[in-house]
Amino acid sequence: MEVGFLGLGIMGKAMSMNLLKNGFKVTVWNRTLSKCNELVEFGASIGETPAQVVKKCRLTIAMLSDPAAALSVVFDKDGVLEQIGSGKGYIDMSTVDPETSSKISQAITSTGGAFLEAPVSGSKQPAETGQLVILAAGDKGLYEESIPAFDVLGKKSFFLGQVGNGAKMKLVVNMIMGSMMNAFSEGLVLSERSGLNPHDLLDVLDLGGIANPMFRGKGPAMLKSNHSPAFPLKHQQKDMRLALALGDENAVSMPVAAAANESFKKARSMGLGDLDFSAVYEILKMTKD
Ligand SMILES: NC(=O)C1=CN([C@@H]2O[C@H](COP(=O)(O)OP(=O)(O)OC[C@H]3O[C@@H](n4cnc5c(N)ncnc54)[C@H](OP(=O)(O)O)[C@@H]3O)[C@@H](O)[C@H]2O)C=CC1
Ligand SMILES: O=CC(=O)O
């Protein structure tokens, strides 16, 4: 099966590599084209523009940073819209808001092309090992056609109905995750300041009812101030912002998420946006009596 892949950041690189390793023919494009070279060593072809990739491939997947990037790759010159049409499918796996996804969907489907949004839950390591959770919505036929690729990329895929539902599900999940990261960071700081050993806190947490892979995976590195990026903080803050907007639209009060968003914004303003979202711990650590 031949697929196109647009966007070779942390996630896109791991996902396209996985497709290659599992026998897919992959044509890649990235805004910074030099990032394609590593994939070429593993058998990928390069498309010089998104339009060229779509022209060549029946299915094209995108994994881009945010709504502005997702829109640009579709609507700008040499973009997806120039070549998409009947018999072709476009699957956007970026985390964006439902409005962005709907705008892309309308443009693609008006050409006769098929559209699926399919954001993912799971970070760099699950992307590398094909253990993502795929939250698809949109064209059911395209979803079914994409299952061989989703089976390589993920451990489970959900079809959630109409376009927008995948984006909403992803934003709800990441709103919870961002709030949890803030509570966890506050707990680490509180344990240390109150004279406890924060490593003991990690052990206690891991044996109780709120044990989870995020605390277990990130806790030890956080205590060493190692925030090497798996999920960049700037993207987590984007997700909080988009989730809060969804809360506004639906009149849902979210004071916990709003406070977490403020911490992520502060961390971004201090230049921590490219580090892992666990770096929010550093700004909570800075607060003193
Ligand atoms: N990292 C993670 O753990 C997870 C991330 N996500 C989501 O997946 C998406 C990608 O994340 P991740 O790989 O971490 O992000 P990265 O920041 O590592 O990569 C972003 C990608 O988007 C491209 N890009 C940015 N702006 C533009 C633009 N204007 N036009 C074209 N391309 C652009 C970048 O190109 P260039 O190389 O040229 O900068 C790069 O390929 C995001 O929506 C994120 O929220 C979802 C689940 C987990
Ligand atoms: O979006 C990030 C993730 O870990 O999921």
Side-chain angles (χ1 to χ4, degrees):
M1 193 170 180
E2 174 140 19
V3 295
F5 208 105
L6 310 178
L8 302 176
I10 293 173
M11 296 297 283
K13 178 183 161 190
M15 292 160 75
S16 49
M17 194 73 95
N18 238 340
L19 290 169
L20 284 166
K21 284 182 185 158
N22 283 279
F24 284 77
K25 285 187 181 166
V26 186
T27 299
V28 295
W29 172 85
N30 192 63
R31 177 180 63 174
T32 309
L33 266 181
S34 58
K35 288 194 193 166
C36 297
N37 296 338
E38 200 179 336
L39 277 294
V40 170
E41 285 172 30
F42 288 83
S45 309
I46 299 182
E48 297 218 330
T49 63
Q52 268 193 18
V53 174
V54 172
K55 185 175 182 187
K56 191 170 168 205
C57 304
R58 182 176 160 78
L59 293 185
T60 300
I61 296 173
M63 192 54 163
L64 301 156
S65 51
D66 55 18
L71 290 167
S72 160
V73 161
V74 171
F75 290 97
D76 286 359
K77 186 174 176 302
D78 296 324
V80 169
L81 267 191
E82 292 184 11
Q83 289 294 335
I84 199 88
S86 177
K88 289 188 183 280
Y90 186 62
I91 306 160
D92 193 346
M93 303 188 80
S94 322
T95 304
V96 297
D97 53 301
E99 291 71 29
T100 297
S101 212
S102 297
K103 203 170 166 187
I104 293 172
S105 174
Q106 277 161 21
I108 302 277
T109 52
S110 71
T111 69
F115 177 75
L116 196 66
E117 62 176 4
V120 300
S121 192
S123 191
K124 185 179 178 207
Q125 200 191 7
E128 285 167 348
T129 53
Q131 293 291 304
L132 296 168
V133 178
I134 296 167
L135 308 170
D139 189 300
K140 187 80 193 283
L142 179 55
Y143 172 72
E144 276 155 12
E145 195 182 337
S146 307
I147 283 176
F150 288 167
D151 282 348
V152 165
L153 298 172
K155 62 181 173 188
K156 169 90 181 160
S157 55
F158 291 84
F159 182 76
L160 299 169
Q162 66 185 23
V163 169
N165 287 351
K168 289 177 193 169
M169 183 65 83
K170 175 63 186 165
L171 293 178
V172 173
V173 170
N174 274 29
M175 181 273 288
I176 296 170
M177 186 171 79
S179 301
M180 279 173 65
M181 176 53 84
N182 270 267
F184 182 47
S185 297
E186 287 179 0
L188 291 176
V189 175
L190 179 61
S191 67
E192 203 161 17
R193 293 272 174 84
S194 63
L196 294 171
N197 180 341
H199 292 278
D200 289 341
L201 173 64
L202 294 184
D203 291 341
V204 172
L205 284 172
D206 202 36
L207 288 167
I210 57 167
N212 69 73
M214 182 174 86
F215 293 176
R216 188 178 311 127
K218 293 195 188 281
M222 288 168 69
L223 292 178
K224 290 184 202 146
S225 287
N226 174 356
H227 305 290
S228 160
F231 181 37
L233 187 143
K234 64 186 175 190
H235 295 332
Q236 171 67 81
Q237 196 268 315
K238 171 257 304 178
D239 295 350
M240 296 307 282
R241 178 172 72 240
L242 299 179
L244 286 166
L246 190 61
D248 281 356
E249 282 160 35
N250 290 283
V252 177
S253 173
M254 301 196 295
V256 174
N261 185 43
E262 289 304 315
S263 301
F264 287 122
K265 271 161 61 180
K266 189 165 176 196
R268 270 186 68 193
S269 78
M270 295 181 69
L272 306 182
D274 289 325
L275 296 180
D276 192 74
F277 76 120
S278 62
V280 74
Y281 169 63
E282 299 301 327
I283 63 131
L284 297 171
K285 234 174 25 178
M286 276 172 203
T287 50
K288 297 244 181 308
D289 285 347

